[in-house]
Coordinates of all heavy atoms in Angstrom, one line a residue:
M1 N 64.0 131.8 93.5 CA 65.2 132.4 93.0 C 66.1 132.8 94.2 O 65.6 133.1 95.2 CB 64.8 133.6 92.1 CG 66.1 134.3 91.6 SD 65.6 135.5 90.4 CE 66.5 134.9 89.0
Q2 N 67.3 132.7 94.0 CA 68.3 133.0 95.0 C 68.3 134.5 95.3 O 67.9 135.3 94.4 CB 69.7 132.6 94.6 CG 69.8 131.1 94.5 CD 71.2 130.7 94.0 OE1 72.0 131.5 93.7 NE2 71.5 129.4 94.1
G3 N 68.7 134.9 96.5 CA 68.8 136.3 96.8 C 69.9 137.1 96.0 O 70.7 136.5 95.3
K4 N 69.7 138.4 95.9 CA 70.6 139.2 95.2 C 72.1 139.0 95.5 O 73.0 139.0 94.6 CB 70.3 140.7 95.4 CG 71.0 141.7 94.6 CD 70.5 143.1 95.0 CE 71.4 144.1 94.4 NZ 70.9 145.5 94.8
D5 N 72.4 138.7 96.7 CA 73.8 138.5 97.2 C 74.4 137.2 96.8 O 75.5 136.9 96.9 CB 73.9 138.7 98.7 CG 73.7 140.1 99.1 OD1 73.8 141.1 98.3 OD2 73.3 140.3 100.3
S6 N 73.5 136.3 96.2 CA 74.0 134.9 95.9 C 74.5 134.9 94.4 O 74.8 133.8 94.0 CB 72.8 133.9 96.0 OG 72.4 133.9 97.4
W7 N 74.4 136.0 93.7 CA 74.8 136.0 92.3 C 76.1 136.8 92.1 O 76.3 137.8 92.8 CB 73.7 136.6 91.5 CG 72.5 135.8 91.5 CD1 71.4 135.9 92.4 CD2 72.1 134.7 90.7 NE1 70.5 134.9 92.1 CE2 70.9 134.2 91.1 CE3 72.8 134.1 89.6 CZ2 70.3 133.1 90.4 CZ3 72.2 133.0 89.0 CH2 71.0 132.5 89.4
L8 N 76.9 136.4 91.1 CA 78.1 137.1 90.8 C 78.0 137.6 89.4 O 77.5 136.9 88.5 CB 79.3 136.1 90.9 CG 79.6 135.5 92.2 CD1 80.6 134.3 92.0 CD2 80.1 136.5 93.2
T9 N 78.6 138.8 89.1 CA 78.7 139.3 87.8 C 79.8 138.4 87.1 O 80.6 137.7 87.7 CB 79.2 140.7 87.7 OG1 80.5 140.8 88.3 CG2 78.2 141.6 88.5
I10 N 79.9 138.5 85.8 CA 80.9 137.8 85.0 C 82.3 138.2 85.5 O 83.2 137.4 85.6 CB 80.7 137.9 83.5 CG1 81.6 136.9 82.8 CG2 80.8 139.4 83.0 CD1 81.3 136.8 81.3
G11 N 82.5 139.5 85.7 CA 83.8 140.0 86.2 C 84.2 139.5 87.5 O 85.3 139.1 87.7
A12 N 83.2 139.4 88.4 CA 83.5 138.9 89.8 C 83.8 137.4 89.7 O 84.7 136.9 90.4 CB 82.3 139.2 90.7
L13 N 83.0 136.7 89.0 CA 83.2 135.3 88.8 C 84.6 135.0 88.3 O 85.4 134.2 88.8 CB 82.2 134.6 87.9 CG 82.4 133.1 87.6 CD1 82.3 132.3 88.9 CD2 81.3 132.7 86.6
A14 N 84.9 135.7 87.2 CA 86.2 135.5 86.6 C 87.4 135.8 87.5 O 88.3 135.0 87.6 CB 86.3 136.4 85.3
Q15 N 87.3 136.9 88.2 CA 88.3 137.3 89.2 C 88.5 136.3 90.3 O 89.6 135.8 90.6 CB 88.0 138.7 89.7 CG 89.1 139.2 90.7 CD 88.8 140.5 91.2 OE1 87.6 141.0 91.3 NE2 89.8 141.3 91.6
R16 N 87.4 135.9 90.9 CA 87.4 134.9 92.0 C 87.9 133.5 91.5 O 88.5 132.8 92.3 CB 86.1 134.8 92.7 CG 85.8 136.1 93.5 CD 84.5 136.1 94.2 NE 84.4 135.1 95.2 CZ 83.4 134.9 96.0 NH1 82.3 135.7 95.9 NH2 83.4 134.0 96.9
A17 N 87.6 133.2 90.3 CA 88.0 131.9 89.8 C 89.4 131.9 89.1 O 89.9 130.8 88.8 CB 87.0 131.4 88.7
G18 N 89.9 133.1 88.9 CA 91.3 133.1 88.3 C 91.3 132.9 86.9 O 92.3 132.4 86.3
V19 N 90.2 133.2 86.2 CA 90.2 133.1 84.7 C 89.8 134.4 84.1 O 89.3 135.3 84.7 CB 89.2 132.0 84.3 CG1 89.6 130.6 84.8 CG2 87.8 132.3 84.7
A20 N 90.0 134.5 82.8 CA 89.5 135.7 82.0 C 88.0 135.6 81.8 O 87.4 134.5 81.8 CB 90.2 135.8 80.7
T21 N 87.4 136.8 81.6 CA 86.0 136.8 81.4 C 85.7 136.1 80.0 O 84.6 135.5 79.9 CB 85.4 138.3 81.3 OG1 86.2 139.0 80.4 CG2 85.5 138.9 82.7
S22 N 86.6 136.2 79.1 CA 86.4 135.4 77.8 C 86.3 133.9 78.1 O 85.6 133.2 77.4 CB 87.5 135.8 76.8 OG 88.8 135.4 77.4
A23 N 87.1 133.4 79.1 CA 87.0 132.0 79.4 C 85.6 131.6 79.9 O 85.0 130.6 79.6 CB 88.1 131.6 80.4
V24 N 85.1 132.5 80.8 CA 83.7 132.3 81.3 C 82.7 132.2 80.2 O 81.9 131.4 80.1 CB 83.3 133.3 82.4 CG1 81.9 133.1 82.8 CG2 84.3 133.3 83.6
R25 N 82.8 133.2 79.3 CA 81.9 133.2 78.1 C 82.1 132.0 77.3 O 81.1 131.4 76.8 CB 82.2 134.5 77.2 CG 81.7 135.7 77.9 CD 81.8 136.9 76.9 NE 81.8 138.2 77.6 CZ 82.9 138.8 78.0 NH1 84.1 138.4 77.7 NH2 82.8 140.0 78.6
F26 N 83.3 131.5 77.1 CA 83.6 130.3 76.3 C 82.9 129.1 77.0 O 82.3 128.3 76.3 CB 85.1 130.1 76.1 CG 85.4 128.9 75.4 CD1 85.3 128.7 74.0 CD2 85.9 127.8 76.1 CE1 85.6 127.5 73.4 CE2 86.2 126.6 75.5 CZ 86.1 126.5 74.1
Y27 N 83.2 129.0 78.3 CA 82.6 127.8 79.0 C 81.1 127.8 78.9 O 80.5 126.8 78.8 CB 83.0 127.8 80.5 CG 84.5 127.7 80.7 CD1 85.1 128.2 81.9 CD2 85.3 127.0 79.9 CE1 86.4 128.0 82.1 CE2 86.7 126.8 80.1 CZ 87.2 127.4 81.3 OH 88.6 127.2 81.5
E28 N 80.5 129.0 79.0 CA 79.0 129.1 78.9 C 78.6 128.7 77.5 O 77.6 128.0 77.3 CB 78.5 130.5 79.2 CG 77.0 130.6 79.3 CD 76.5 131.9 79.8 OE1 77.4 132.9 80.1 OE2 75.3 132.1 80.0
A29 N 79.3 129.2 76.4 CA 78.9 128.9 75.1 C 79.1 127.4 74.8 O 78.3 126.8 74.0 CB 79.8 129.7 74.1
Q30 N 80.0 126.7 75.5 CA 80.2 125.3 75.3 C 79.2 124.4 76.2 O 79.3 123.2 76.1 CB 81.6 124.9 75.7 CG 82.7 125.5 74.8 CD 82.5 125.0 73.4 OE1 82.4 123.8 73.1 NE2 82.5 125.9 72.4
G31 N 78.4 125.1 76.9 CA 77.4 124.4 77.7 C 77.9 123.9 79.1 O 77.3 123.0 79.7
L32 N 79.1 124.4 79.5 CA 79.7 123.9 80.7 C 79.2 124.7 81.9 O 79.3 124.2 83.0 CB 81.2 124.0 80.6 CG 81.9 123.2 79.5 CD1 83.4 123.5 79.4 CD2 81.6 121.8 79.6
L33 N 78.8 125.9 81.7 CA 78.2 126.8 82.7 C 76.9 127.3 82.3 O 76.6 127.4 81.1 CB 79.2 128.0 83.0 CG 80.6 127.8 83.4 CD1 81.3 129.1 83.5 CD2 80.7 127.0 84.7
R34 N 76.1 127.7 83.3 CA 74.8 128.3 83.0 C 74.7 129.6 83.8 O 75.0 129.6 85.0 CB 73.6 127.4 83.4 CG 73.3 126.5 82.3 CD 72.1 125.6 82.6 NE 72.6 124.5 83.4 CZ 72.0 123.8 84.3 NH1 70.8 124.1 84.6 NH2 72.6 122.8 84.9
G35 N 74.3 130.6 83.2 CA 74.1 131.9 83.9 C 72.7 132.4 83.6 O 71.9 131.7 82.9
S36 N 72.4 133.5 84.2 CA 71.1 134.1 83.9 C 71.4 135.6 83.6 O 72.6 136.0 83.6 CB 70.2 134.0 85.1 OG 70.7 134.7 86.2
R37 N 70.4 136.3 83.3 CA 70.5 137.7 83.0 C 69.8 138.6 84.0 O 68.7 138.2 84.4 CB 70.0 138.0 81.5 CG 70.7 137.3 80.4 CD 72.0 138.0 80.2 NE 72.8 137.3 79.1 CZ 73.7 138.0 78.4 NH1 73.9 139.2 78.6 NH2 74.3 137.3 77.4
S38 N 70.4 139.7 84.3 CA 69.7 140.7 85.2 C 68.7 141.4 84.4 O 68.6 141.3 83.1 CB 70.8 141.6 85.8 OG 71.3 142.5 84.8
E39 N 68.0 142.3 85.0 CA 67.0 143.1 84.4 C 67.7 144.1 83.3 O 67.2 144.4 82.3 CB 66.2 144.0 85.4 CG 65.3 143.1 86.2 CD 64.5 144.0 87.2 OE1 64.4 145.2 87.0 OE2 63.9 143.3 88.1
G40 N 69.0 144.4 83.6 CA 69.8 145.2 82.7 C 70.5 144.4 81.7 O 71.4 144.9 81.0
N41 N 70.2 143.1 81.6 CA 70.7 142.2 80.6 C 72.2 141.8 80.8 O 72.9 141.5 79.9 CB 70.5 142.6 79.2 CG 70.5 141.5 78.2 OD1 70.2 140.4 78.5 ND2 71.0 141.8 77.0
Q42 N 72.7 142.0 82.1 CA 74.0 141.6 82.4 C 74.0 140.1 82.9 O 73.1 139.6 83.5 CB 74.6 142.4 83.6 CG 74.7 143.9 83.2 CD 75.2 144.7 84.4 OE1 74.8 144.5 85.5 NE2 76.0 145.7 84.1
R43 N 75.1 139.4 82.5 CA 75.3 138.0 82.9 C 75.4 138.0 84.5 O 76.1 138.7 85.1 CB 76.5 137.4 82.3 CG 76.4 137.0 80.9 CD 77.7 136.4 80.4 NE 77.6 135.8 79.1 CZ 77.9 136.4 78.0 NH1 78.3 137.7 78.0 NH2 77.8 135.8 76.9
R44 N 74.7 137.0 85.1 CA 74.8 136.7 86.5 C 75.0 135.2 86.7 O 74.4 134.4 86.0 CB 73.6 137.2 87.2 CG 73.3 138.7 87.2 CD 74.2 139.4 88.1 NE 73.8 140.8 88.3 CZ 74.5 141.8 87.8 NH1 75.7 141.6 87.2 NH2 74.1 143.0 88.0
Y45 N 75.8 134.8 87.6 CA 76.1 133.4 87.9 C 75.9 133.2 89.4 O 76.3 134.0 90.2 CB 77.5 133.1 87.5 CG 77.8 133.3 86.0 CD1 78.3 134.5 85.6 CD2 77.6 132.3 85.1 CE1 78.5 134.7 84.2 CE2 77.8 132.5 83.8 CZ 78.2 133.7 83.3 OH 78.4 133.9 82.0
A46 N 75.4 132.0 89.7 CA 75.2 131.6 91.1 C 76.6 131.4 91.7 O 77.6 131.0 90.9 CB 74.4 130.3 91.2
K47 N 76.8 131.7 93.0 CA 78.1 131.5 93.6 C 78.7 130.1 93.4 O 79.9 129.8 93.3 CB 78.1 131.9 95.1 CG 78.0 133.4 95.3 CD 78.1 133.7 96.7 CE 78.1 135.2 96.9 NZ 78.2 135.6 98.3
E48 N 77.8 129.1 93.3 CA 78.2 127.7 93.2 C 78.9 127.5 91.9 O 79.6 126.5 91.7 CB 77.0 126.8 93.2 CG 76.3 126.7 94.6 CD 75.3 127.9 94.8 OE1 74.9 128.6 93.9 OE2 75.1 128.2 96.0
T49 N 78.8 128.4 90.9 CA 79.5 128.3 89.6 C 81.0 128.3 89.8 O 81.7 127.7 89.0 CB 79.0 129.4 88.7 OG1 77.6 129.4 88.6 CG2 79.6 129.2 87.3
L50 N 81.5 128.9 90.9 CA 82.9 128.9 91.2 C 83.4 127.5 91.2 O 84.5 127.2 90.8 CB 83.2 129.6 92.5 CG 83.1 131.1 92.5 CD1 83.1 131.7 93.9 CD2 84.3 131.7 91.7
R51 N 82.7 126.6 91.8 CA 83.1 125.2 91.9 C 83.2 124.5 90.6 O 84.1 123.7 90.3 CB 82.1 124.4 92.8 CG 82.2 124.7 94.3 CD 81.4 123.7 95.1 NE 81.0 124.4 96.3 CZ 79.8 124.6 96.7 NH1 78.8 124.2 96.0 NH2 79.5 125.3 97.8
R52 N 82.2 124.8 89.7 CA 82.2 124.3 88.3 C 83.4 124.8 87.6 O 84.1 124.0 86.9 CB 80.9 124.6 87.6 CG 79.7 123.9 88.2 CD 78.5 124.2 87.5 NE 78.3 123.5 86.2 CZ 77.8 122.3 86.0 NH1 77.4 121.6 87.0 NH2 77.7 121.8 84.8
V53 N 83.8 126.1 87.7 CA 84.9 126.6 87.0 C 86.2 125.9 87.5 O 87.1 125.6 86.7 CB 85.0 128.1 87.1 CG1 86.3 128.7 86.5 CG2 83.8 128.8 86.5
A54 N 86.3 125.7 88.8 CA 87.5 125.1 89.4 C 87.6 123.7 88.8 O 88.7 123.2 88.5 CB 87.4 125.0 90.9
F55 N 86.5 123.0 88.8 CA 86.5 121.6 88.2 C 86.9 121.6 86.8 O 87.8 120.8 86.4 CB 85.1 121.0 88.3 CG 85.0 119.6 87.8 CD1 85.3 118.5 88.6 CD2 84.6 119.4 86.5 CE1 85.2 117.2 88.1 CE2 84.5 118.1 85.9 CZ 84.8 117.0 86.7
I56 N 86.4 122.5 86.0 CA 86.8 122.6 84.6 C 88.3 122.9 84.4 O 89.0 122.2 83.6 CB 86.0 123.7 83.9 CG1 84.5 123.4 83.8 CG2 86.6 124.0 82.4 CD1 83.6 124.6 83.4
R57 N 88.8 123.8 85.2 CA 90.3 124.1 85.1 C 91.1 122.9 85.5 O 92.1 122.6 84.9 CB 90.6 125.3 86.0 CG 89.9 126.6 85.5 CD 90.3 127.8 86.3 NE 91.8 128.0 86.0 CZ 92.6 128.7 86.9 NH1 92.1 129.1 88.0 NH2 93.8 128.9 86.5
I58 N 90.7 122.2 86.6 CA 91.5 121.0 87.0 C 91.4 119.9 85.9 O 92.4 119.3 85.6 CB 91.0 120.5 88.4 CG1 91.4 121.5 89.4 CG2 91.6 119.1 88.7 CD1 90.7 121.3 90.8
A59 N 90.2 119.7 85.4 CA 90.0 118.7 84.4 C 90.9 119.0 83.2 O 91.5 118.1 82.6 CB 88.6 118.5 84.1
Q60 N 90.9 120.2 82.7 CA 91.7 120.6 81.6 C 93.1 120.5 81.9 O 93.9 120.0 81.0 CB 91.4 122.0 81.1 CG 90.0 122.2 80.5 CD 89.8 123.6 80.0 OE1 89.9 124.5 80.8 NE2 89.5 123.7 78.7
G61 N 93.5 120.7 83.1 CA 94.9 120.6 83.5 C 95.5 119.2 83.5 O 96.7 119.0 83.3
V62 N 94.6 118.3 83.7 CA 95.0 116.9 83.6 C 94.8 116.3 82.2 O 95.0 115.1 82.0 CB 94.4 116.0 84.7 CG1 94.8 116.5 86.1 CG2 92.9 115.9 84.5
G63 N 94.4 117.1 81.3 CA 94.3 116.7 79.9 C 92.9 116.2 79.4 O 92.8 115.6 78.3
L64 N 91.9 116.4 80.2 CA 90.6 115.9 79.7 C 90.1 116.9 78.6 O 90.3 118.1 78.6 CB 89.5 115.9 80.8 CG 89.7 114.9 82.0 CD1 88.7 115.0 83.0 CD2 89.8 113.5 81.4
S65 N 89.4 116.3 77.6 CA 88.8 117.1 76.6 C 87.5 117.8 77.1 O 87.0 117.4 78.1 CB 88.4 116.2 75.4 OG 87.3 115.4 75.8
L66 N 87.1 118.8 76.3 CA 85.8 119.5 76.7 C 84.7 118.5 76.7 O 83.8 118.7 77.6 CB 85.6 120.7 75.9 CG 86.5 121.9 76.1 CD1 86.1 123.0 75.1 CD2 86.4 122.4 77.5
D67 N 84.6 117.6 75.8 CA 83.6 116.6 75.8 C 83.6 115.8 77.1 O 82.5 115.5 77.7 CB 83.7 115.7 74.6 CG 83.3 116.4 73.3 OD1 82.5 117.4 73.4 OD2 83.7 115.9 72.2
D68 N 84.8 115.4 77.6 CA 84.9 114.6 78.8 C 84.4 115.5 80.0 O 83.8 115.0 80.9 CB 86.3 114.2 79.0 CG 86.8 113.1 78.0 OD1 85.9 112.4 77.5 OD2 88.0 113.0 77.8
V69 N 84.8 116.7 80.0 CA 84.5 117.6 81.1 C 83.0 117.8 81.1 O 82.3 117.7 82.1 CB 85.2 119.0 80.9 CG1 84.6 120.0 81.9 CG2 86.7 118.9 81.0
R70 N 82.4 118.0 79.9 CA 80.9 118.2 79.8 C 80.2 117.0 80.3 O 79.2 117.1 81.1 CB 80.5 118.4 78.3 CG 79.1 118.8 78.1 CD 78.8 119.1 76.7 NE 79.6 120.3 76.2 CZ 80.6 120.1 75.3 NH1 81.0 119.0 74.9 NH2 81.3 121.2 74.9
A71 N 80.7 115.8 80.0 CA 80.0 114.5 80.5 C 80.1 114.4 82.0 O 79.2 114.0 82.6 CB 80.7 113.3 79.8
A72 N 81.3 114.7 82.5 CA 81.5 114.7 84.0 C 80.6 115.7 84.7 O 80.0 115.3 85.7 CB 82.9 114.9 84.3
L73 N 80.5 116.9 84.2 CA 79.7 117.9 84.8 C 78.2 117.5 84.7 O 77.4 117.9 85.6 CB 79.9 119.3 84.1 CG 81.2 120.0 84.5 CD1 81.4 121.2 83.6 CD2 81.2 120.4 85.9
A74 N 77.8 116.8 83.7 CA 76.4 116.4 83.6 C 76.0 115.4 84.7 O 74.8 115.3 85.0 CB 76.2 115.7 82.2
T75 N 76.9 114.8 85.4 CA 76.6 113.9 86.4 C 76.5 114.6 87.8 O 76.1 114.0 88.8 CB 77.6 112.7 86.5 OG1 78.9 113.3 86.9 CG2 77.8 112.0 85.2
L76 N 76.9 115.8 87.8 CA 77.0 116.6 89.1 C 75.7 117.4 89.3 O 75.1 117.8 88.3 CB 78.2 117.5 89.1 CG 79.6 116.9 89.0 CD1 80.6 117.9 88.9 CD2 79.8 115.9 90.2
P77 N 75.3 117.7 90.5 CA 74.1 118.5 90.8 C 74.3 119.9 90.3 O 75.4 120.4 90.2 CB 73.9 118.4 92.3 CG 75.1 117.8 92.9 CD 75.9 117.2 91.7

């Protein structure tokens, strides 16, 4: 498991990615992001999730559907 400093709260992720926390929750519900839960049951995301959010935003900006985004993300590590 990654160190404590390698994880972001949903608020920190949203702020750094420039999206609302509701967008992060939506992306997770759609299977585009994966998070984990802390011992206090708070959402936590690996810092690498920032890249995935950036990819999602760019893909949506050029008109790709969520299904297309999901398929593209499935090919990435």
Side-chain angles (χ1 to χ4, degrees):
M1 180 171 236
Q2 297 177 350
K4 182 178 170 182
D5 294 336
S6 298
W7 296 91
L8 299 169
T9 64
I10 189 171
L13 174 65
Q15 182 178 26
R16 289 179 65 176
V19 298
T21 56
S22 59
V24 176
R25 287 187 200 97
F26 176 76
Y27 295 153
E28 188 173 3
Q30 294 298 309
L32 303 174
L33 301 178
R34 273 182 275 153
S36 63
R37 295 286 182 154
S38 69
E39 290 180 16
N41 204 31
Q42 294 177 323
R43 283 180 169 93
R44 297 283 191 247
Y45 299 90
K47 285 186 178 179
E48 294 80 23
T49 306
L50 285 166
R51 289 188 206 120
R52 292 180 76 87
V53 174
F55 180 86
I56 294 166
R57 292 185 70 205
I58 291 167
Q60 286 183 307
V62 297
L64 293 180
S65 70
L66 288 180
D67 287 335
D68 291 336
V69 173
R70 188 177 299 105
L73 286 171
T75 66
L76 300 175

